Amino acid sequence: RSLWAICPVPTDSRLIETISTSWPFAAMTRWSQWPVTSAGSAMIAGVTVPSDATMAALYDPNMNFTGFPPTGMAFLTTLGTRNREWFQANKKQYDAEVAQPAKDFVDAMTARLQDAVSPLIVGQPKTNGSIAPINNDLRFNPDASPYKDHLLLKWWQGDDKKRAPTLHIRLSESTVGFASGMVISDVDAWRRAVGEDSGAALQDAIDTLAASYDLDLAGQALKKVPKPWPEDHPRGDLLRHKMFQVRAPIPMPASVNTAAFADWCTARLAEYADVHHWLVEHLT
Protein backbone atom coordinates (compact mmCIF):
# COMPACT_ATOMS: atom_id res chain seq x y z
CA ARG A 1 0.00 0.00 0.00
CA SER A 2 1.11 3.54 -0.62
CA LEU A 3 2.38 5.50 2.35
CA TRP A 4 -0.28 8.13 1.60
CA ALA A 5 -2.97 5.56 2.41
CA ILE A 6 -1.43 4.91 5.81
CA CYS A 7 -0.24 8.28 7.12
CA PRO A 8 -1.44 11.87 6.79
CA VAL A 9 0.87 13.83 4.53
CA PRO A 10 2.41 17.01 5.96
CA THR A 11 2.45 19.70 3.28
CA ASP A 12 4.15 22.67 4.90
CA SER A 13 7.73 23.89 5.17
CA ARG A 14 8.28 21.84 8.32
CA LEU A 15 7.96 18.54 6.44
CA ILE A 16 11.13 16.90 7.74
CA GLU A 17 10.47 17.92 11.35
CA THR A 18 6.93 16.58 11.12
CA ILE A 19 8.09 13.29 9.72
CA SER A 20 10.82 12.89 12.32
CA THR A 21 8.56 13.57 15.31
CA SER A 22 4.99 12.64 14.39
CA TRP A 23 4.90 9.74 11.97
CA PRO A 24 5.04 6.04 12.92
CA PHE A 25 8.75 5.85 12.07
CA ALA A 26 9.57 8.77 14.39
CA ALA A 27 12.62 7.02 15.77
CA MET A 28 14.52 7.84 12.58
CA THR A 29 15.44 11.50 12.09
CA ARG A 30 15.57 11.63 8.28
CA TRP A 31 14.26 9.30 5.61
CA SER A 32 17.54 9.84 3.72
CA GLN A 33 19.11 7.50 6.30
CA TRP A 34 17.08 4.61 4.88
CA PRO A 35 17.82 2.57 1.73
CA VAL A 36 17.06 4.48 -1.45
CA THR A 37 15.43 2.99 -4.55
CA SER A 38 16.58 3.63 -8.11
CA ALA A 39 13.91 6.31 -8.39
CA GLY A 40 15.36 8.21 -5.45
CA SER A 41 12.67 7.15 -2.98
CA ALA A 42 13.44 5.77 0.48
CA MET A 43 12.24 2.38 1.71
CA ILE A 44 10.90 2.38 5.28
CA ALA A 45 9.33 -0.72 6.80
CA GLY A 46 8.63 -1.98 3.29
CA VAL A 47 6.86 1.23 2.30
CA THR A 48 8.14 3.56 -0.43
CA VAL A 49 8.56 7.15 0.71
CA PRO A 50 8.68 9.61 -2.22
CA SER A 51 11.96 11.34 -2.97
CA ASP A 52 12.66 14.95 -2.01
CA ALA A 53 12.16 15.94 -5.64
CA THR A 54 8.74 14.29 -5.71
CA MET A 55 7.72 15.96 -2.47
CA ALA A 56 8.86 19.33 -3.79
CA ALA A 57 6.67 18.85 -6.84
CA LEU A 58 3.70 17.90 -4.66
CA TYR A 59 4.21 20.68 -2.11
CA ASP A 60 1.74 23.53 -2.43
CA PRO A 61 2.53 26.51 -0.16
CA ASN A 62 -0.98 27.82 -0.69
CA MET A 63 -2.60 24.92 1.17
CA ASN A 64 -1.79 26.06 4.71
CA PHE A 65 -2.56 29.78 4.68
CA THR A 66 -6.24 30.35 5.38
CA GLY A 67 -6.02 33.94 6.58
CA PHE A 68 -5.23 35.67 9.87
CA PRO A 69 -8.03 34.99 12.38
CA PRO A 70 -9.82 38.08 13.74
CA THR A 71 -8.87 37.10 17.27
CA GLY A 72 -5.22 36.97 16.23
CA MET A 73 -5.27 40.45 14.74
CA ALA A 74 -7.00 41.77 17.86
CA PHE A 75 -4.35 40.01 19.95
CA LEU A 76 -1.67 42.07 18.17
CA THR A 77 -3.36 45.34 19.14
CA THR A 78 -3.61 44.23 22.77
CA LEU A 79 -0.04 42.94 22.81
CA GLY A 80 1.31 46.41 22.10
CA THR A 81 0.06 47.54 25.52
CA ARG A 82 1.09 44.50 27.58
CA ASN A 83 4.16 43.34 29.49
CA ARG A 84 6.27 40.19 29.36
CA GLU A 85 4.28 38.40 32.07
CA TRP A 86 1.04 38.86 30.12
CA PHE A 87 2.68 37.69 26.90
CA GLN A 88 4.05 34.53 28.51
CA ALA A 89 0.64 33.75 30.01
CA ASN A 90 -0.98 34.12 26.59
CA LYS A 91 1.77 32.74 24.39
CA LYS A 92 -0.23 29.72 23.26
CA GLN A 93 -2.78 32.03 21.68
CA TYR A 94 0.00 34.06 20.06
CA ASP A 95 1.61 30.94 18.63
CA ALA A 96 -1.65 29.56 17.26
CA GLU A 97 -3.35 32.75 16.02
CA VAL A 98 -0.45 35.04 15.08
CA ALA A 99 2.88 33.23 14.71
CA GLN A 100 1.70 30.16 12.78
CA PRO A 101 -0.54 32.10 10.34
CA ALA A 102 2.41 34.46 9.77
CA LYS A 103 4.66 31.53 8.83
CA ASP A 104 2.01 30.14 6.50
CA PHE A 105 1.55 33.60 4.98
CA VAL A 106 5.29 33.93 4.33
CA ASP A 107 5.26 30.58 2.50
CA ALA A 108 2.24 31.57 0.42
CA MET A 109 3.67 34.99 -0.42
CA THR A 110 7.11 33.64 -1.32
CA ALA A 111 5.65 31.44 -4.04
CA ARG A 112 3.50 34.28 -5.36
CA LEU A 113 6.28 36.88 -5.34
CA GLN A 114 8.59 34.51 -7.18
CA ASP A 115 5.97 34.47 -9.94
CA ALA A 116 4.94 38.13 -9.80
CA VAL A 117 8.26 39.90 -9.11
CA SER A 118 11.30 37.62 -9.49
CA PRO A 119 12.05 33.88 -9.24
CA LEU A 120 15.05 34.88 -7.10
CA ILE A 121 12.91 36.27 -4.27
CA VAL A 122 13.73 34.58 -0.96
CA GLY A 123 11.39 34.05 1.99
CA GLN A 124 12.05 32.21 5.24
CA PRO A 125 9.00 31.39 7.40
CA LYS A 126 10.67 31.93 10.76
CA THR A 127 11.60 34.65 13.23
CA ASN A 128 14.72 36.51 12.11
CA GLY A 129 14.09 35.13 8.64
CA SER A 130 11.14 36.81 6.95
CA ILE A 131 9.44 37.53 10.29
CA ALA A 132 10.80 40.25 12.56
CA PRO A 133 10.88 39.50 16.30
CA ILE A 134 7.63 40.50 17.99
CA ASN A 135 9.50 42.14 20.87
CA ASN A 136 10.84 45.69 20.62
CA ASP A 137 14.55 46.34 21.14
CA LEU A 138 14.38 48.47 24.26
CA ARG A 139 18.08 49.33 24.12
CA PHE A 140 17.30 52.07 21.65
CA ASN A 141 13.98 53.17 23.14
CA PRO A 142 13.60 52.11 26.78
CA ASP A 143 10.23 53.86 27.06
CA ALA A 144 8.64 51.78 24.29
CA SER A 145 6.25 48.92 24.86
CA PRO A 146 8.03 45.57 25.23
CA TYR A 147 6.09 44.23 22.24
CA LYS A 148 5.01 45.42 18.82
CA ASP A 149 1.34 45.80 17.94
CA HIS A 150 2.05 44.68 14.37
CA LEU A 151 3.91 42.13 12.29
CA LEU A 152 6.88 43.08 10.10
CA LEU A 153 7.52 40.70 7.22
CA LYS A 154 10.07 40.78 4.41
CA TRP A 155 11.27 39.02 1.27
CA TRP A 156 14.63 39.78 -0.32
CA GLN A 157 16.68 39.16 -3.44
CA GLY A 158 20.36 38.50 -2.86
CA ASP A 159 22.77 36.58 -0.67
CA ASP A 160 22.88 39.09 2.21
CA LYS A 161 19.35 39.53 3.50
CA LYS A 162 20.38 42.51 5.64
CA ARG A 163 21.61 44.50 2.64
CA ALA A 164 19.72 43.02 -0.31
CA PRO A 165 16.84 44.79 -2.07
CA THR A 166 13.82 43.88 0.02
CA LEU A 167 10.03 43.89 -0.18
CA HIS A 168 8.17 44.51 3.08
CA ILE A 169 4.69 44.09 4.51
CA ARG A 170 3.60 45.59 7.83
CA LEU A 171 0.41 44.11 9.30
CA SER A 172 -1.65 45.63 12.09
CA GLU A 173 -5.30 45.14 12.96
CA SER A 174 -6.44 48.18 10.97
CA THR A 175 -3.77 48.81 8.31
CA VAL A 176 -1.38 47.00 6.01
CA GLY A 177 1.75 48.70 4.72
CA PHE A 178 3.82 47.82 1.66
CA ALA A 179 7.39 48.87 0.93
CA SER A 180 10.45 48.36 -1.24
CA GLY A 181 13.95 49.38 -0.27
CA MET A 182 17.38 48.44 0.96
CA VAL A 183 20.25 49.43 3.21
CA ILE A 184 22.67 51.46 1.08
CA SER A 185 26.03 49.86 1.80
CA ASP A 186 27.83 51.75 -0.98
CA VAL A 187 26.72 55.38 -0.87
CA ASP A 188 28.90 56.34 -3.84
CA ALA A 189 27.29 53.66 -6.01
CA TRP A 190 23.83 54.87 -4.92
CA ARG A 191 24.66 58.46 -5.83
CA ARG A 192 26.06 57.51 -9.23
CA ALA A 193 23.02 55.39 -10.06
CA VAL A 194 20.57 58.07 -8.88
CA GLY A 195 22.49 61.09 -10.17
CA GLU A 196 23.17 59.82 -13.68
CA ASP A 197 20.57 59.13 -16.37
CA SER A 198 19.79 55.72 -14.87
CA GLY A 199 18.17 57.45 -11.91
CA ALA A 200 15.28 58.70 -14.03
CA ALA A 201 13.72 55.21 -14.07
CA LEU A 202 13.71 55.07 -10.28
CA GLN A 203 12.08 58.49 -10.08
CA ASP A 204 9.44 57.40 -12.61
CA ALA A 205 8.66 54.29 -10.55
CA ILE A 206 8.32 56.38 -7.39
CA ASP A 207 6.09 58.91 -9.16
CA THR A 208 3.83 56.11 -10.42
CA LEU A 209 3.35 54.82 -6.87
CA ALA A 210 2.79 58.34 -5.53
CA ALA A 211 -0.08 58.79 -7.98
CA SER A 212 -1.99 56.00 -6.23
CA TYR A 213 -0.80 56.05 -2.61
CA ASP A 214 0.11 58.39 0.22
CA LEU A 215 3.77 57.58 -0.29
CA ASP A 216 6.56 58.05 2.23
CA LEU A 217 10.27 57.96 1.37
CA ALA A 218 12.43 56.98 4.33
CA GLY A 219 16.18 57.32 4.72
CA GLN A 220 16.92 60.89 3.69
CA ALA A 221 19.79 61.68 6.06
CA LEU A 222 21.57 64.69 4.54
CA LYS A 223 20.35 68.29 4.73
CA LYS A 224 22.00 69.23 1.45
CA VAL A 225 22.62 67.55 -1.88
CA PRO A 226 26.10 65.99 -1.66
CA LYS A 227 28.94 67.23 -3.85
CA PRO A 228 29.67 67.16 -6.74
CA TRP A 229 25.96 67.10 -7.56
CA PRO A 230 24.29 70.53 -7.97
CA GLU A 231 21.69 71.65 -5.43
CA ASP A 232 19.08 71.91 -8.20
CA HIS A 233 19.63 68.34 -9.42
CA PRO A 234 16.23 66.89 -10.49
CA ARG A 235 16.74 63.99 -8.10
CA GLY A 236 18.46 65.96 -5.36
CA ASP A 237 16.13 64.60 -2.69
CA LEU A 238 17.10 61.01 -3.55
CA LEU A 239 20.80 61.89 -3.54
CA ARG A 240 20.44 62.88 0.11
CA HIS A 241 19.52 59.33 1.16
CA LYS A 242 21.81 57.01 3.13
CA MET A 243 19.09 54.35 3.38
CA PHE A 244 16.19 53.99 1.00
CA GLN A 245 12.66 52.76 1.46
CA VAL A 246 9.51 53.76 -0.37
CA ARG A 247 6.35 52.78 1.50
CA ALA A 248 2.66 53.40 1.97
CA PRO A 249 -0.04 52.21 4.42
CA ILE A 250 -3.58 51.39 3.31
CA PRO A 251 -6.66 50.17 5.20
CA MET A 252 -6.74 46.49 6.03
CA PRO A 253 -9.18 44.62 3.74
CA ALA A 254 -11.77 42.15 5.02
CA SER A 255 -9.92 39.43 3.11
CA VAL A 256 -7.22 39.41 5.83
CA ASN A 257 -9.24 36.62 7.47
CA THR A 258 -9.23 34.48 4.32
CA ALA A 259 -6.78 32.71 2.03
CA ALA A 260 -7.50 35.37 -0.61
CA PHE A 261 -5.45 37.87 1.43
CA ALA A 262 -2.22 36.46 -0.04
CA ASP A 263 -3.38 37.18 -3.59
CA TRP A 264 -4.51 40.67 -2.60
CA CYS A 265 -1.14 41.43 -0.99
CA THR A 266 0.75 40.08 -3.98
CA ALA A 267 -1.11 42.44 -6.30
CA ARG A 268 -0.29 45.42 -4.06
CA LEU A 269 3.36 44.50 -3.54
CA ALA A 270 3.84 43.80 -7.25
CA GLU A 271 3.21 47.51 -7.81
CA TYR A 272 6.59 48.09 -6.14
CA ALA A 273 8.33 45.74 -8.58
CA ASP A 274 9.81 48.51 -10.74
CA VAL A 275 11.50 50.04 -7.69
CA HIS A 276 12.72 46.63 -6.58
CA HIS A 277 14.09 45.74 -10.02
CA TRP A 278 15.92 49.07 -10.24
CA LEU A 279 17.62 48.45 -6.90
CA VAL A 280 18.64 44.93 -7.98
CA GLU A 281 19.99 46.11 -11.34
CA HIS A 282 21.99 49.09 -10.11
CA LEU A 283 23.06 48.23 -6.56
CA THR A 284 23.74 44.49 -6.49
Side-chain angles (χ1 to χ4, degrees):
R1 294 176 61 189
S2 165
L3 177 66
W4 318 124
I6 302 172
C7 303
V9 182
T11 55
D12 63 14
S13 61
R14 297 165 304 285
L15 177 64
I16 297 300
E17 289 82 358
T18 302
I19 288 175
S20 65
T21 59
S22 301
W23 285 26
F25 39 89
M28 304 310 294
T29 57
R30 290 184 63 88
W31 68 48
S32 59
Q33 296 173 324
W34 291 78
V36 176
T37 69
S38 59
S41 301
M43 295 294 297
I44 301 177
V47 177
T48 300
V49 177
S51 65
D52 289 344
T54 300
M55 287 305 301
L58 291 172
Y59 170 59
D60 181 358
N62 303 318
M63 291 180 66
N64 290 327
F65 181 68
T66 57
F68 288 92
T71 50
M73 300 307 292
F75 184 97
L76 273 178
T77 300
T78 302
L79 180 59
T81 66
R82 301 294 184 168
N83 58 25
R84 186 177 184 278
E85 289 72 25
W86 185 91
F87 178 68
Q88 291 301 321
N90 292 274
K91 193 171 184 300
K92 287 185 178 180
Q93 182 182 357
Y94 170 79
D95 288 341
E97 299 183 2
V98 179
Q100 188 57 55
K103 294 174 183 178
D104 295 338
F105 180 69
V106 168
D107 268 341
M109 287 296 299
T110 300
R112 286 166 168 80
L113 292 174
Q114 287 171 347
D115 288 338
V117 178
S118 169
L120 300 179
I121 290 289
V122 177
Q124 296 177 348
K126 62 181 182 179
T127 300
N128 289 321
S130 288
I131 306 171
I134 196 64
N135 57 293
N136 285 314
D137 192 336
L138 301 182
R139 294 175 300 173
F140 303 102
N141 186 3
D143 296 328
S145 168
Y147 298 99
K148 301 179 180 73
D149 62 357
H150 56 274
L151 288 172
L152 293 175
L153 311 171
K154 66 180 182 180
W155 296 260
W156 60 93
Q157 184 172 338
D159 295 332
D160 185 351
K161 69 179 180 181
K162 293 183 178 180
R163 299 180 182 276
T166 301
L167 296 165
H168 303 263
I169 295 180
R170 182 188 189 278
L171 298 174
S172 70
E173 187 175 15
S174 60
T175 62
V176 53
F178 299 96
S180 173
M182 67 182 298
V183 173
I184 300 172
S185 56
D186 187 339
V187 175
D188 290 335
W190 165 260
R191 292 172 184 169
R192 285 194 301 271
V194 168
E196 296 173 0
D197 290 345
S198 56
L202 176 61
Q203 188 66 64
D204 288 345
I206 293 171
D207 291 344
T208 297
L209 287 168
S212 300
Y213 300 106
D214 183 14
L215 212 60
D216 174 46
L217 267 67
Q220 192 179 86
L222 303 179
K223 293 183 178 180
K224 296 183 178 181
V225 176
K227 300 297 183 182
W229 308 101
E231 283 292 328
D232 61 351
H233 191 284
R235 291 177 295 283
D237 286 346
L238 289 175
L239 288 167
R240 291 159 54 195
H241 281 252
K242 286 191 173 181
M243 184 278 286
F244 173 77
Q245 187 181 92
V246 56
R247 59 197 185 190
I250 55 180
M252 181 66 77
S255 64
V256 66
N257 307 136
T258 73
F261 184 59
D263 288 327
W264 184 86
C265 285
T266 301
R268 305 290 83 72
L269 204 48
E271 296 181 71
Y272 291 74
D274 286 346
V275 173
H276 178 80
H277 292 155
W278 188 94
L279 295 173
V280 170
E281 178 181 355
H282 295 284
L283 296 171
T284 62

